[in-house]
Amino acid sequence: MNFDPSLIEILQDAKSVVVVTGSGISSESGVPTFRGEDGLWKTYRAEELATMQAFISNPELVWEWYDWRRGLISKASPNPAHKIIAEMESRYPEFLLVTQNVDGLHRKAGSKHIVEIHGNIRLVRCMEEGKEFFLEENPLSQLPPTCDCGALLRPAVVWFGEMLPVEALATAQEHIQKADLLITVGTSGVVYPVAHFPMLAKGTGARVIEINMERTPISSIADFTVLGKAGEVLPELWKASL
Ligand code: BJW
């Protein structure tokens, strides 16, 4: 792969870096994305399942979707893109990974400075008591699963119309405001508030690099958009910048 020399310079000169990832980074690990060809489960779109309204009207259906995804995720391994991002931590004095993914693959790859801004699919929350804990049973023997107290359990993830975890959002925003480089990888850039992060970074003078298979709304403000598979582009880009 041939890269523009100024793109490589940006990677070499950066001191404070934020990487924002979306489901596209895990597609090469066998985890489906939300939109596009991959994004349908049965006849449902993510927007129809990832809501409290959907859960209240049909918890079994929503849990069936999560149980299916939990199964895929439990068998998935990090790909070269996850591994390069884990390596990035030790190169930059300031580094934060903000992932919208709930699959835990970044942690499996070794990332430590990470914010899982939409939660984690292995975690569940009691609808009555609010307590959260890891539910490792896979597949689940009972759909929908219930808490010891008898109440319904829900996946501890962020659905449409719900607030993102306050601390996670604040950490992400603080790092973005002092970053000199923000890199997005495998996100369509349509789901807020994360979709606003590249603009926030531009507003405080940072450079923005996008890696995606296709152009997205982020492309119009990015300094560079590199089209291709994250698992192929990131290792090449990283090697070229060493
Ligand atoms: C590759 C590749 C490869 C493929 N290599 N690339 C305006 C301002 C602010 C808010 C809103 C607004 N308008 C509407 C809202 C509300 C809403 C929203 O954003 N809606 C939009 C759809 C318009 N946002 C919310 O409700 C959020 N909360 C909120 O704003 O709270 C405040 C509030 C409260 C009450 C009322 C109003 C405001 C919460 C959003 C929660 C999103 N949750 C989900 C599910 C998480 C749990 C789960 O996993 O089940 O998060 S939905 C889904 O979308 C998931 C993802 O994290 C998220 C983003 O998707 P992502 O990761 O970008 O995936 P895709 O599929 O869209 O894209 C994949 C990309 O990868 C593609 O571009 C491919 O090309 C690429 N790709 N393979 C590189 N190999």
Side-chain angles (χ1 to χ4, degrees):
M1 269 177 225
N2 281 326
F3 300 109
D4 188 317
S6 354
L7 166 60
I8 301 304
E9 254 174 53
I10 291 174
L11 284 165
Q12 288 171 334
D13 294 347
K15 300 277 180 290
S16 179
V17 176
V18 174
V19 176
V20 176
T21 63
S23 61
I25 196 172
S26 296
S27 66
E28 291 161 74
S29 297
V31 182
T33 61
F34 290 92
R35 294 167 189 85
E37 279 172 25
D38 239 12
L40 276 183
W41 174 74
K42 297 191 175 173
T43 56
Y44 303 94
R45 292 182 299 118
E47 286 82 353
E48 296 173 275
L49 295 164
T51 70
M52 181 54 92
Q53 291 94 306
F55 185 69
I56 286 168
S57 66
N58 196 341
E60 194 173 340
L61 174 77
V62 172
W63 261 115
E64 216 189 303
W65 181 50
Y66 277 95
D67 198 35
W68 171 71
R69 291 174 56 208
R70 282 163 55 101
L72 291 177
I73 286 167
S74 70
K75 293 185 199 85
S77 303
N79 66 54
H82 295 104
K83 290 179 188 160
I84 292 295
I85 292 172
E87 268 186 47
M88 284 179 152
E89 286 191 3
S90 51
R91 172 161 171 185
Y92 296 112
E94 294 280 340
F95 182 90
L96 183 71
L97 167 60
V98 180
T99 187
Q100 299 169 86
N101 300 342
V102 298
D103 57 30
L105 289 180
H106 283 297
R107 284 192 200 279
K108 260 195 188 173
S111 282
K112 298 219 165 26
H113 298 286
I114 175 172
V115 167
E116 291 173 315
I117 207 148
H118 288 165
N120 188 300
I121 202 165
R122 286 167 52 228
L123 264 183
V124 293
R125 186 181 314 134
C126 172
M127 292 284 285
E128 199 58 44
E129 302 164 315
K131 68 180 181 193
E132 289 189 358
F133 55 94
F134 286 103
L135 186 62
E136 303 292 0
E137 190 188 24
N138 196 329
L140 294 166
S141 54
Q142 180 199 329
L143 291 179
T146 49
C147 182
D148 290 344
C149 76
L152 271 182
L153 290 171
R154 61 161 285 178
V157 297
V158 182
W159 285 330
F160 285 110
E162 294 184 330
M163 300 299 291
L164 278 70
V166 175
E167 206 178 310
L169 188 57
T171 303
Q173 285 167 338
E174 272 164 32
H175 277 78
I176 291 166
Q177 272 157 355
K178 55 183 191 200
D180 49 29
L181 172 62
L182 181 138
I183 307 173
T184 69
V185 186
T187 180
S188 57
V190 297
V191 176
Y192 287 85
V194 175
H196 181 60
F197 288 176
M199 193 59 96
L200 191 63
K202 284 298 273 189
T204 48
R207 302 300 190 98
V208 172
I209 298 173
E210 174 185 41
I211 298 168
N212 200 306
M213 303 265 285
E214 58 188 16
R215 289 181 67 81
T216 73
I218 298 166
S219 315
S220 60
I221 63 149
D223 295 273
F224 287 94
T225 292
V226 186
L227 295 177
K229 290 186 175 177
E232 293 169 9
V233 171
L234 261 173
E236 290 286 320
L237 200 53
W238 191 240
K239 205 167 69 183
S241 72
L242 289 176

mmCIF file of all heavy atoms in Angstrom, residues 136-180:
data_model
loop_
_atom_site.group_PDB
_atom_site.id
_atom_site.type_symbol
_atom_site.label_atom_id
_atom_site.label_comp_id
_atom_site.label_asym_id
_atom_site.label_seq_id
_atom_site.Cartn_x
_atom_site.Cartn_y
_atom_site.Cartn_z
ATOM 1 N N GLU A 136 -22.189 -15.377 32.095
ATOM 2 C CA GLU A 136 -21.301 -16.065 31.155
ATOM 3 C C GLU A 136 -21.988 -17.218 30.424
ATOM 4 O O GLU A 136 -21.483 -17.710 29.441
ATOM 5 C CB GLU A 136 -20.040 -16.584 31.877
ATOM 6 C CG GLU A 136 -19.228 -15.508 32.602
ATOM 7 C CD GLU A 136 -18.560 -14.517 31.647
ATOM 8 O OE1 GLU A 136 -18.699 -14.635 30.416
ATOM 9 O OE2 GLU A 136 -17.899 -13.594 32.173
ATOM 10 N N GLU A 137 -23.145 -17.660 30.926
ATOM 11 C CA GLU A 137 -23.818 -18.814 30.307
ATOM 12 C C GLU A 137 -24.049 -18.552 28.811
ATOM 13 O O GLU A 137 -24.547 -17.497 28.424
ATOM 14 C CB GLU A 137 -25.162 -19.030 30.996
ATOM 15 C CG GLU A 137 -25.810 -20.336 30.595
ATOM 16 C CD GLU A 137 -27.235 -20.441 31.153
ATOM 17 O OE1 GLU A 137 -27.877 -19.418 31.427
ATOM 18 O OE2 GLU A 137 -27.698 -21.579 31.304
ATOM 19 N N ASN A 138 -23.676 -19.540 27.992
ATOM 20 C CA ASN A 138 -23.724 -19.284 26.556
ATOM 21 C C ASN A 138 -23.888 -20.608 25.787
ATOM 22 O O ASN A 138 -22.999 -21.442 25.849
ATOM 23 C CB ASN A 138 -22.404 -18.612 26.162
ATOM 24 C CG ASN A 138 -22.479 -17.952 24.813
ATOM 25 O OD1 ASN A 138 -23.195 -18.394 23.932
ATOM 26 N ND2 ASN A 138 -21.706 -16.903 24.647
ATOM 27 N N PRO A 139 -24.996 -20.849 25.109
ATOM 28 C CA PRO A 139 -26.171 -19.999 25.012
ATOM 29 C C PRO A 139 -26.954 -20.002 26.325
ATOM 30 O O PRO A 139 -26.776 -20.887 27.171
ATOM 31 C CB PRO A 139 -26.984 -20.659 23.879
ATOM 32 C CG PRO A 139 -26.570 -22.098 23.898
ATOM 33 C CD PRO A 139 -25.139 -22.118 24.342
ATOM 34 N N LEU A 140 -27.819 -19.024 26.458
ATOM 35 C CA LEU A 140 -28.603 -18.923 27.686
ATOM 36 C C LEU A 140 -29.634 -20.044 27.737
ATOM 37 O O LEU A 140 -30.239 -20.383 26.718
ATOM 38 C CB LEU A 140 -29.304 -17.561 27.735
ATOM 39 C CG LEU A 140 -28.360 -16.366 27.865
ATOM 40 C CD1 LEU A 140 -29.076 -15.066 27.565
ATOM 41 C CD2 LEU A 140 -27.733 -16.335 29.257
ATOM 42 N N SER A 141 -29.825 -20.622 28.930
ATOM 43 C CA SER A 141 -30.766 -21.743 29.033
ATOM 44 C C SER A 141 -32.204 -21.240 29.103
ATOM 45 O O SER A 141 -33.142 -21.982 28.833
ATOM 46 C CB SER A 141 -30.440 -22.585 30.264
ATOM 47 O OG SER A 141 -30.402 -21.759 31.391
ATOM 48 N N GLN A 142 -32.354 -19.968 29.476
ATOM 49 C CA GLN A 142 -33.704 -19.422 29.607
ATOM 50 C C GLN A 142 -33.764 -18.056 28.930
ATOM 51 O O GLN A 142 -32.942 -17.181 29.192
ATOM 52 C CB GLN A 142 -34.009 -19.269 31.100
ATOM 53 C CG GLN A 142 -35.383 -18.720 31.423
ATOM 54 C CD GLN A 142 -35.440 -18.160 32.843
ATOM 55 O OE1 GLN A 142 -34.746 -18.629 33.740
ATOM 56 N NE2 GLN A 142 -36.252 -17.155 33.042
ATOM 57 N N LEU A 143 -34.739 -17.885 28.041
ATOM 58 C CA LEU A 143 -34.913 -16.601 27.354
ATOM 59 C C LEU A 143 -36.311 -16.063 27.622
ATOM 60 O O LEU A 143 -37.276 -16.763 27.320
ATOM 61 C CB LEU A 143 -34.734 -16.749 25.836
ATOM 62 C CG LEU A 143 -33.342 -17.049 25.303
ATOM 63 C CD1 LEU A 143 -33.369 -17.175 23.789
ATOM 64 C CD2 LEU A 143 -32.357 -15.974 25.708
ATOM 65 N N PRO A 144 -36.481 -14.879 28.157
ATOM 66 C CA PRO A 144 -35.433 -13.997 28.643
ATOM 67 C C PRO A 144 -34.893 -14.460 29.986
ATOM 68 O O PRO A 144 -35.636 -15.068 30.763
ATOM 69 C CB PRO A 144 -36.167 -12.652 28.781
ATOM 70 C CG PRO A 144 -37.584 -13.030 29.061
ATOM 71 C CD PRO A 144 -37.834 -14.296 28.298
ATOM 72 N N PRO A 145 -33.604 -14.177 30.293
ATOM 73 C CA PRO A 145 -33.055 -14.557 31.594
ATOM 74 C C PRO A 145 -33.616 -13.679 32.716
ATOM 75 O O PRO A 145 -34.002 -12.538 32.466
ATOM 76 C CB PRO A 145 -31.548 -14.321 31.429
ATOM 77 C CG PRO A 145 -31.433 -13.310 30.352
ATOM 78 C CD PRO A 145 -32.639 -13.478 29.456
ATOM 79 N N THR A 146 -33.667 -14.244 33.914
ATOM 80 C CA THR A 146 -34.164 -13.454 35.048
ATOM 81 C C THR A 146 -33.127 -13.438 36.170
ATOM 82 O O THR A 146 -32.256 -14.309 36.251
ATOM 83 C CB THR A 146 -35.491 -14.041 35.594
ATOM 84 O OG1 THR A 146 -35.298 -15.446 35.775
ATOM 85 C CG2 THR A 146 -36.648 -13.802 34.651
ATOM 86 N N CYS A 147 -33.277 -12.438 37.024
ATOM 87 C CA CYS A 147 -32.379 -12.241 38.171
ATOM 88 C C CYS A 147 -32.823 -13.171 39.311
ATOM 89 O O CYS A 147 -33.943 -13.692 39.302
ATOM 90 C CB CYS A 147 -32.501 -10.782 38.595
ATOM 91 S SG CYS A 147 -31.449 -10.287 39.955
ATOM 92 N N ASP A 148 -31.954 -13.332 40.318
ATOM 93 C CA ASP A 148 -32.327 -14.109 41.509
ATOM 94 C C ASP A 148 -33.587 -13.540 42.157
ATOM 95 O O ASP A 148 -34.376 -14.263 42.765
ATOM 96 C CB ASP A 148 -31.205 -14.063 42.560
ATOM 97 C CG ASP A 148 -29.999 -14.861 42.092
ATOM 98 O OD1 ASP A 148 -30.169 -15.665 41.148
ATOM 99 O OD2 ASP A 148 -28.905 -14.654 42.646
ATOM 100 N N CYS A 149 -33.770 -12.225 42.023
ATOM 101 C CA CYS A 149 -34.935 -11.576 42.644
ATOM 102 C C CYS A 149 -36.210 -11.818 41.835
ATOM 103 O O CYS A 149 -37.295 -11.398 42.241
ATOM 104 C CB CYS A 149 -34.679 -10.072 42.820
ATOM 105 S SG CYS A 149 -34.804 -9.123 41.293
ATOM 106 N N GLY A 150 -36.067 -12.430 40.662
ATOM 107 C CA GLY A 150 -37.246 -12.749 39.855
ATOM 108 C C GLY A 150 -37.503 -11.767 38.715
ATOM 109 O O GLY A 150 -38.265 -12.047 37.803
ATOM 110 N N ALA A 151 -36.836 -10.588 38.785
ATOM 111 C CA ALA A 151 -37.072 -9.569 37.748
ATOM 112 C C ALA A 151 -36.330 -9.930 36.459
ATOM 113 O O ALA A 151 -35.416 -10.758 36.467
ATOM 114 C CB ALA A 151 -36.592 -8.207 38.260
ATOM 115 N N LEU A 152 -36.737 -9.269 35.368
ATOM 116 C CA LEU A 152 -36.057 -9.477 34.081
ATOM 117 C C LEU A 152 -34.643 -8.924 34.125
ATOM 118 O O LEU A 152 -34.389 -7.902 34.772
ATOM 119 C CB LEU A 152 -36.788 -8.700 32.980
ATOM 120 C CG LEU A 152 -37.932 -9.352 32.220
ATOM 121 C CD1 LEU A 152 -38.442 -8.374 31.159
ATOM 122 C CD2 LEU A 152 -37.472 -10.640 31.555
ATOM 123 N N LEU A 153 -33.743 -9.603 33.422
ATOM 124 C CA LEU A 153 -32.401 -9.048 33.208
ATOM 125 C C LEU A 153 -32.373 -8.460 31.805
ATOM 126 O O LEU A 153 -33.010 -8.998 30.898
ATOM 127 C CB LEU A 153 -31.345 -10.156 33.300
ATOM 128 C CG LEU A 153 -31.090 -10.746 34.676
ATOM 129 C CD1 LEU A 153 -30.183 -11.974 34.560
ATOM 130 C CD2 LEU A 153 -30.453 -9.707 35.607
ATOM 131 N N ARG A 154 -31.617 -7.394 31.635
ATOM 132 C CA ARG A 154 -31.420 -6.819 30.296
ATOM 133 C C ARG A 154 -29.926 -6.775 30.007
ATOM 134 O O ARG A 154 -29.114 -6.774 30.936
ATOM 135 C CB ARG A 154 -32.012 -5.411 30.207
ATOM 136 C CG ARG A 154 -31.395 -4.413 31.167
ATOM 137 C CD ARG A 154 -31.642 -2.963 30.766
ATOM 138 N NE ARG A 154 -30.797 -2.570 29.634
ATOM 139 C CZ ARG A 154 -30.816 -1.389 29.054
ATOM 140 N NH1 ARG A 154 -31.645 -0.462 29.487
ATOM 141 N NH2 ARG A 154 -30.000 -1.108 28.054
ATOM 142 N N PRO A 155 -29.544 -6.725 28.738
ATOM 143 C CA PRO A 155 -28.119 -6.545 28.446
ATOM 144 C C PRO A 155 -27.685 -5.157 28.930
ATOM 145 O O PRO A 155 -28.422 -4.188 28.749
ATOM 146 C CB PRO A 155 -28.050 -6.623 26.912
ATOM 147 C CG PRO A 155 -29.364 -7.182 26.463
ATOM 148 C CD PRO A 155 -30.371 -6.841 27.520
ATOM 149 N N ALA A 156 -26.501 -5.070 29.566
ATOM 150 C CA ALA A 156 -26.017 -3.774 30.070
ATOM 151 C C ALA A 156 -25.307 -3.028 28.939
ATOM 152 O O ALA A 156 -24.089 -2.838 28.962
ATOM 153 C CB ALA A 156 -25.109 -3.969 31.275
ATOM 154 N N VAL A 157 -26.087 -2.666 27.949
ATOM 155 C CA VAL A 157 -25.573 -1.929 26.785
ATOM 156 C C VAL A 157 -26.437 -0.689 26.623
ATOM 157 O O VAL A 157 -27.475 -0.570 27.286
ATOM 158 C CB VAL A 157 -25.633 -2.791 25.507
ATOM 159 C CG1 VAL A 157 -24.749 -4.026 25.616
ATOM 160 C CG2 VAL A 157 -27.074 -3.184 25.177
ATOM 161 N N VAL A 158 -26.000 0.230 25.754
ATOM 162 C CA VAL A 158 -26.750 1.481 25.589
ATOM 163 C C VAL A 158 -27.652 1.371 24.358
ATOM 164 O O VAL A 158 -27.170 1.183 23.242
ATOM 165 C CB VAL A 158 -25.787 2.688 25.448
ATOM 166 C CG1 VAL A 158 -26.584 3.986 25.335
ATOM 167 C CG2 VAL A 158 -24.826 2.755 26.631
ATOM 168 N N TRP A 159 -28.925 1.493 24.600
ATOM 169 C CA TRP A 159 -29.896 1.433 23.508
ATOM 170 C C TRP A 159 -30.233 2.841 23.027
ATOM 171 O O TRP A 159 -29.960 3.829 23.715
ATOM 172 C CB TRP A 159 -31.171 0.715 23.982
ATOM 173 C CG TRP A 159 -31.012 -0.778 24.093
ATOM 174 C CD1 TRP A 159 -30.188 -1.563 23.345
ATOM 175 C CD2 TRP A 159 -31.700 -1.665 24.977
ATOM 176 N NE1 TRP A 159 -30.323 -2.880 23.707
ATOM 177 C CE2 TRP A 159 -31.249 -2.976 24.699
ATOM 178 C CE3 TRP A 159 -32.675 -1.496 25.967
ATOM 179 C CZ2 TRP A 159 -31.717 -4.099 25.382
ATOM 180 C CZ3 TRP A 159 -33.147 -2.609 26.649
ATOM 181 C CH2 TRP A 159 -32.679 -3.898 26.353
ATOM 182 N N PHE A 160 -30.878 2.928 21.854
ATOM 183 C CA PHE A 160 -31.317 4.227 21.327
ATOM 184 C C PHE A 160 -32.235 4.904 22.336
ATOM 185 O O PHE A 160 -33.080 4.248 22.963
ATOM 186 C CB PHE A 160 -32.036 4.052 19.992
ATOM 187 C CG PHE A 160 -31.092 3.753 18.865
ATOM 188 C CD1 PHE A 160 -31.063 2.510 18.278
ATOM 189 C CD2 PHE A 160 -30.185 4.723 18.422
ATOM 190 C CE1 PHE A 160 -30.172 2.224 17.251
ATOM 191 C CE2 PHE A 160 -29.291 4.444 17.394
ATOM 192 C CZ PHE A 160 -29.285 3.198 16.812
ATOM 193 N N GLY A 161 -32.022 6.206 22.497
ATOM 194 C CA GLY A 161 -32.838 6.972 23.431
ATOM 195 C C GLY A 161 -32.320 6.925 24.855
ATOM 196 O O GLY A 161 -32.862 7.595 25.730
ATOM 197 N N GLU A 162 -31.251 6.146 25.104
ATOM 198 C CA GLU A 162 -30.688 6.074 26.458
ATOM 199 C C GLU A 162 -29.412 6.904 26.530
ATOM 200 O O GLU A 162 -28.667 7.013 25.547
ATOM 201 C CB GLU A 162 -30.382 4.615 26.825
ATOM 202 C CG GLU A 162 -31.641 3.769 26.947
ATOM 203 C CD GLU A 162 -31.360 2.338 27.396
ATOM 204 O OE1 GLU A 162 -30.275 1.802 27.091
ATOM 205 O OE2 GLU A 162 -32.242 1.760 28.039
ATOM 206 N N MET A 163 -29.154 7.428 27.725
ATOM 207 C CA MET A 163 -27.927 8.196 27.950
ATOM 208 C C MET A 163 -26.727 7.259 27.938
ATOM 209 O O MET A 163 -26.825 6.125 28.418
ATOM 210 C CB MET A 163 -27.969 8.899 29.320
ATOM 211 C CG MET A 163 -29.114 9.868 29.496
ATOM 212 S SD MET A 163 -29.062 11.199 28.301
ATOM 213 C CE MET A 163 -27.633 12.099 28.851
ATOM 214 N N LEU A 164 -25.609 7.753 27.448
ATOM 215 C CA LEU A 164 -24.375 6.972 27.545
ATOM 216 C C LEU A 164 -23.845 7.094 28.979
ATOM 217 O O LEU A 164 -24.152 8.074 29.665
ATOM 218 C CB LEU A 164 -23.343 7.501 26.541
ATOM 219 C CG LEU A 164 -23.531 6.976 25.108
ATOM 220 C CD1 LEU A 164 -24.765 7.541 24.451
ATOM 221 C CD2 LEU A 164 -22.308 7.269 24.268
ATOM 222 N N PRO A 165 -23.035 6.117 29.456
ATOM 223 C CA PRO A 165 -22.505 6.222 30.829
ATOM 224 C C PRO A 165 -21.770 7.558 30.991
ATOM 225 O O PRO A 165 -20.900 7.894 30.182
ATOM 226 C CB PRO A 165 -21.522 5.048 30.915
ATOM 227 C CG PRO A 165 -21.793 4.169 29.743
ATOM 228 C CD PRO A 165 -22.544 4.958 28.732
ATOM 229 N N VAL A 166 -22.160 8.302 32.032
ATOM 230 C CA VAL A 166 -21.694 9.687 32.191
ATOM 231 C C VAL A 166 -20.168 9.767 32.249
ATOM 232 O O VAL A 166 -19.537 10.583 31.564
ATOM 233 C CB VAL A 166 -22.320 10.299 33.475
ATOM 234 C CG1 VAL A 166 -21.775 11.686 33.754
ATOM 235 C CG2 VAL A 166 -23.834 10.348 33.323
ATOM 236 N N GLU A 167 -19.573 8.867 33.068
ATOM 237 C CA GLU A 167 -18.112 8.933 33.249
ATOM 238 C C GLU A 167 -17.376 8.596 31.948
ATOM 239 O O GLU A 167 -16.406 9.259 31.570
ATOM 240 C CB GLU A 167 -17.712 7.949 34.353
ATOM 241 C CG GLU A 167 -16.438 8.352 35.055
ATOM 242 C CD GLU A 167 -16.124 7.361 36.175
ATOM 243 O OE1 GLU A 167 -17.030 7.080 36.987
ATOM 244 O OE2 GLU A 167 -14.980 6.887 36.203
ATOM 245 N N ALA A 168 -17.885 7.593 31.239
ATOM 246 C CA ALA A 168 -17.248 7.170 29.982
ATOM 247 C C ALA A 168 -17.304 8.310 28.958
ATOM 248 O O ALA A 168 -16.319 8.610 28.276
ATOM 249 C CB ALA A 168 -17.953 5.931 29.427
ATOM 250 N N LEU A 169 -18.445 8.963 28.892
ATOM 251 C CA LEU A 169 -18.619 10.061 27.936
ATOM 252 C C LEU A 169 -17.709 11.237 28.292
ATOM 253 O O LEU A 169 -17.048 11.818 27.416
ATOM 254 C CB LEU A 169 -20.102 10.490 27.937
ATOM 255 C CG LEU A 169 -20.533 11.483 26.875
ATOM 256 C CD1 LEU A 169 -20.237 10.962 25.469
ATOM 257 C CD2 LEU A 169 -22.036 11.772 26.996
ATOM 258 N N ALA A 170 -17.632 11.537 29.592
ATOM 259 C CA ALA A 170 -16.781 12.657 30.029
ATOM 260 C C ALA A 170 -15.316 12.350 29.722
ATOM 261 O O ALA A 170 -14.573 13.216 29.237
ATOM 262 C CB ALA A 170 -16.981 12.914 31.522
ATOM 263 N N THR A 171 -14.872 11.127 30.003
ATOM 264 C CA THR A 171 -13.479 10.745 29.726
ATOM 265 C C THR A 171 -13.177 10.894 28.238
ATOM 266 O O THR A 171 -12.144 11.446 27.844
ATOM 267 C CB THR A 171 -13.236 9.270 30.153
ATOM 268 O OG1 THR A 171 -13.564 9.158 31.525
ATOM 269 C CG2 THR A 171 -11.803 8.828 29.934
ATOM 270 N N ALA A 172 -14.096 10.421 27.404
ATOM 271 C CA ALA A 172 -13.889 10.510 25.953
ATOM 272 C C ALA A 172 -13.780 11.975 25.530
ATOM 273 O O ALA A 172 -12.851 12.363 24.808
ATOM 274 C CB ALA A 172 -15.031 9.814 25.218
ATOM 275 N N GLN A 173 -14.700 12.778 25.999
ATOM 276 C CA GLN A 173 -14.702 14.189 25.573
ATOM 277 C C GLN A 173 -13.458 14.939 26.041
ATOM 278 O O GLN A 173 -12.874 15.717 25.288
ATOM 279 C CB GLN A 173 -15.981 14.881 26.058
ATOM 280 C CG GLN A 173 -17.177 14.445 25.214
ATOM 281 C CD GLN A 173 -18.522 14.823 25.806
ATOM 282 O OE1 GLN A 173 -18.637 15.056 27.013
ATOM 283 N NE2 GLN A 173 -19.551 14.855 24.983
ATOM 284 N N GLU A 174 -13.042 14.654 27.296
ATOM 285 C CA GLU A 174 -11.821 15.314 27.815
ATOM 286 C C GLU A 174 -10.618 14.978 26.941
ATOM 287 O O GLU A 174 -9.826 15.848 26.590
ATOM 288 C CB GLU A 174 -11.511 14.805 29.229
ATOM 289 C CG GLU A 174 -12.191 15.579 30.332
ATOM 290 C CD GLU A 174 -12.162 14.783 31.646
ATOM 291 O OE1 GLU A 174 -11.193 14.024 31.873
ATOM 292 O OE2 GLU A 174 -13.134 14.915 32.411
ATOM 293 N N HIS A 175 -10.456 13.708 26.610
ATOM 294 C CA HIS A 175 -9.305 13.307 25.792
ATOM 295 C C HIS A 175 -9.384 13.895 24.389
ATOM 296 O O HIS A 175 -8.370 14.296 23.827
ATOM 297 C CB HIS A 175 -9.206 11.775 25.713
ATOM 298 C CG HIS A 175 -8.512 11.181 26.897
ATOM 299 N ND1 HIS A 175 -9.132 11.027 28.106
ATOM 300 C CD2 HIS A 175 -7.253 10.730 27.053
ATOM 301 C CE1 HIS A 175 -8.266 10.495 28.976
ATOM 302 N NE2 HIS A 175 -7.126 10.306 28.360
ATOM 303 N N ILE A 176 -10.593 13.929 23.829
ATOM 304 C CA ILE A 176 -10.733 14.456 22.463
ATOM 305 C C ILE A 176 -10.358 15.930 22.439
ATOM 306 O O ILE A 176 -9.694 16.399 21.514
ATOM 307 C CB ILE A 176 -12.171 14.229 21.934
ATOM 308 C CG1 ILE A 176 -12.386 12.735 21.705
ATOM 309 C CG2 ILE A 176 -12.419 15.010 20.642
ATOM 310 C CD1 ILE A 176 -13.820 12.318 21.516
ATOM 311 N N GLN A 177 -10.751 16.664 23.497
ATOM 312 C CA GLN A 177 -10.475 18.097 23.491
ATOM 313 C C GLN A 177 -8.993 18.427 23.571
ATOM 314 O O GLN A 177 -8.577 19.493 23.168
ATOM 315 C CB GLN A 177 -11.262 18.790 24.601
ATOM 316 C CG GLN A 177 -12.638 19.168 24.056
ATOM 317 C CD GLN A 177 -13.699 19.358 25.117
ATOM 318 O OE1 GLN A 177 -13.444 19.111 26.296
ATOM 319 N NE2 GLN A 177 -14.879 19.764 24.716
ATOM 320 N N LYS A 178 -8.171 17.484 24.092
ATOM 321 C CA LYS A 178 -6.729 17.777 24.129
ATOM 322 C C LYS A 178 -5.945 16.942 23.115
ATOM 323 O O LYS A 178 -4.714 17.008 23.070
ATOM 324 C CB LYS A 178 -6.173 17.668 25.554
ATOM 325 C CG LYS A 178 -6.440 16.368 26.219
ATOM 326 C CD LYS A 178 -5.914 16.357 27.645
ATOM 327 C CE LYS A 178 -5.981 14.924 28.132
ATOM 328 N NZ LYS A 178 -5.959 14.691 29.496
ATOM 329 N N ALA A 179 -6.650 16.198 22.290
ATOM 330 C CA ALA A 179 -5.954 15.339 21.316
ATOM 331 C C ALA A 179 -5.426 16.155 20.145
ATOM 332 O O ALA A 179 -5.994 17.186 19.776
ATOM 333 C CB ALA A 179 -6.917 14.279 20.793
ATOM 334 N N ASP A 180 -4.289 15.702 19.582
ATOM 335 C CA ASP A 180 -3.871 16.313 18.312
ATOM 336 C C ASP A 180 -4.180 15.394 17.127
ATOM 337 O O ASP A 180 -4.002 15.784 15.979
ATOM 338 C CB ASP A 180 -2.403 16.773 18.335
ATOM 339 C CG ASP A 180 -1.448 15.711 18.848
ATOM 340 O OD1 ASP A 180 -1.749 14.530 18.666
ATOM 341 O OD2 ASP A 180 -0.404 16.085 19.427
#
